[in-house]
Amino acid sequence: MVSNDKKDPKKMRNGFTTGACATAVTKAALIALLTNEVQKKATIHLPIGQDATFTIESCTFEEGKVTCETIKDAGDDPDATHQARILSTVRFVETPGIHLDGGIGVGRVTKPGLPVEVGQAAINPVPRKMILSTVQQLIDEYGVKCGVEVIISVPDGEEIAKKTLNGRLGIIGGISILGTRGIVVPFSSSAYMASIVQAISVAKAAGCNHLVITTGGRSEKFAMAQYPHLPEEAFIEMGDFVGFTLKHCRRQNIPQVSLVGMMGKFSKVAQGVMMVHSKSAPINFEFLAKLARVSGASDEIVEQVLTANTASQVGDLMLEKGYTRFFDLLCKSCCYESLNHIKEGMTISTSIYSMKGELLGRAENIATIDQDDWNWR
């Protein structure tokens, strides 16, 4: 008989990101190179402020270099990279500094619009910083005078990448090394939505009449800087569940809500998509191109929008060309679509930020839909 019992979300086991795994094996490999001793464990400091210890499955010495391996454990929320082998090969080089790159199974960026430059290994900014800072600490501790080369590899990465959107994004040859927190917190959709409901209830009980809903930790950081007068309870991470969160705010009679996020997900909200997961709805570049044209963009720029790789790339282009009206219209459309979704009854604001934290556009305190103002669509 098949059990229908679902695991209690509170009892779910956290896992680790590929970035945390890559940092751990790099530390182990460098210590082994420095001490000539096989490493079986590696403890690193995660971005969330916790330490984590990883098992080193193998530690191999070969011609002046060391390769260490660990197995990625995604906990109770296994993704495409669960049980992937993550390797780091470290050696000393004459050129000073730390030289980090990707090897077999780590994708390489071939299109603009991602947080990693074209031509570089797809090692995202936070994991890159984790690895570099860990290596630098050991360089300082052991007084290393030469350079250090670090190559991150994922032997099955190219096959694993077929289960992801990397190919569409122009990341070729393998997976990305990801993670902003170091850990993977397991959340089923129902568990995540339950956490949103609870967070809104806590905010309501605390007397918050103005809630700020964000798509994640980075946008929440920007939001807290934008609204420093609001208490911590007023900030709600909604993830991809924009419509669900707005409707629950309405049910709780929250009079004022501000949406804070970035181009990718909010370009979907602006066209009425209220579940903004990448698998739920792709970026509509025709919509963004129409908005660019209304904002005064030339035919050449509109064509660049249509052929862009990501919404962030479109935002960068509009910013570079000085089309600030594009962002204001996008924000206003987010407000109108949100009001349309909840059938009004709330005052909504929207702010869109760049990946670097630059405020791109705002629409403030919109309580009703002005159909004439919405006709550009």
Side-chain angles (χ1 to χ4, degrees):
M1 179 180 293
V2 178
S3 172
N4 291 321
D5 292 341
K6 293 186 178 181
K7 196 166 185 177
D8 184 348
K10 295 179 181 178
K11 297 179 180 179
M12 287 184 176
R13 186 171 56 87
N14 291 344
F16 295 102
T17 63
T18 48
C21 294
T23 303
V25 287
T26 297
K27 182 175 183 178
L30 181 51
I31 291 177
L33 190 62
L34 289 164
T35 64
N36 202 35
E37 296 177 357
V38 171
Q39 301 297 301
K40 296 183 178 180
K41 300 281 185 181
T43 299
I44 63 169
H45 193 67
L46 301 175
I48 58 171
Q50 300 175 0
D51 287 344
T53 299
F54 294 75
T55 298
I56 304 303
E57 301 292 338
S58 67
C59 183
T60 307
F61 292 79
E62 181 185 4
E63 298 179 359
K65 60 185 179 182
V66 175
T67 299
C68 284
E69 173 185 332
T70 194
I71 305 296
K72 189 204 169 187
D73 180 2
D76 285 325
D77 189 27
D79 57 15
T81 59
H82 182 55
Q83 295 294 298
R85 297 163 57 206
I86 311 294
L87 283 67
S88 179
T89 300
V90 177
R91 69 185 180 103
F92 295 131
V93 293
E94 292 185 3
T95 307
I98 305 169
H99 311 279
L100 173 61
D101 205 353
I104 293 173
V106 173
R108 199 156 292 274
V109 177
T110 64
K111 295 181 181 180
L114 297 169
V116 177
E117 293 183 5
V118 171
Q120 289 190 352
I123 303 173
N124 269 25
V126 172
R128 188 177 293 270
K129 182 179 179 180
M130 289 172 65
I131 294 168
L132 294 178
S133 63
T134 298
V135 171
Q136 188 62 54
Q137 288 172 8
L138 291 171
I139 287 175
D140 295 340
E141 180 180 344
Y142 284 87
V144 177
K145 301 301 181 184
C146 59
V148 177
E149 179 188 78
V150 178
I151 305 295
I152 306 299
S153 303
V154 183
D156 299 321
E158 190 163 5
E159 191 63 28
I160 295 170
K162 294 177 182 178
K163 303 174 185 178
T164 72
L165 293 175
N166 277 14
R168 187 185 301 175
L169 295 174
I171 301 172
I172 305 302
I175 67 168
S176 303
I177 304 300
L178 303 171
T180 58
R181 294 164 54 85
I183 63 170
V184 177
V185 178
F187 270 123
S188 66
S189 293
S190 58
Y192 198 99
M193 288 189 286
S195 72
I196 293 171
V197 169
Q198 186 176 44
I200 295 172
S201 297
V202 169
K204 177 75 173 178
C208 298
N209 293 317
H210 179 189
L211 299 189
V212 182
I213 57 178
T214 67
T215 53
R218 182 180 297 179
S219 54
E220 183 177 77
K221 178 182 177 182
F222 302 152
M224 286 181 168
Q226 181 176 334
Y227 297 101
H229 60 287
L230 294 179
E232 187 177 10
E233 294 89 348
F235 297 88
I236 312 291
E237 283 194 35
M238 62 181 169
D240 298 319
F241 303 97
V242 182
F244 173 84
T245 306
L246 285 168
K247 283 190 172 181
H248 197 73
C249 287
R250 180 71 182 89
R251 281 194 289 269
Q252 289 286 337
N253 295 315
I254 303 296
Q256 185 175 2
V257 171
S258 295
L259 290 79
V260 178
M262 286 168 272
M263 275 291 300
K265 293 184 176 182
F266 276 20
S267 66
K268 298 178 183 181
V269 176
Q271 56 183 299
V273 177
M274 293 292 151
M275 173 58 184
V276 294
H277 192 280
S278 59
K279 294 181 180 179
S280 300
I283 301 296
N284 186 335
F285 290 99
E286 292 184 359
F287 169 83
L288 294 178
K290 184 175 181 181
L291 179 56
R293 187 179 299 281
V294 172
S295 303
S298 64
D299 291 344
E300 180 184 358
I301 297 301
V302 170
E303 184 61 30
Q304 289 183 45
V305 172
L306 284 169
T307 58
N309 183 41
T310 65
S312 294
Q313 184 184 356
V314 173
D316 291 343
L317 178 64
M318 293 295 103
L319 186 64
E320 178 188 342
K321 300 301 181 181
Y323 296 119
T324 56
R325 186 169 180 245
F326 173 88
F327 300 107
D328 292 336
L329 284 175
L330 195 65
C331 289
K332 187 175 288 187
S333 190
C334 285
C335 293
Y336 284 163
E337 290 291 354
S338 296
L339 288 169
N340 185 57
H341 188 71
I342 62 171
K343 308 307 176 188
E344 300 191 350
M346 183 188 295
T347 298
I348 295 181
S349 301
T350 299
S351 300
I352 295 179
Y353 283 85
S354 71
M355 295 290 284
K356 298 178 181 178
E358 182 177 4
L359 181 61
L360 300 176
R362 294 173 72 172
E364 293 290 334
N365 301 323
I366 296 178
T368 57
I369 298 173
D370 184 339
Q371 294 293 344
D372 292 335
D373 194 33
W374 212 10
N375 280 341
W376 69 267
R377 292 167 53 85

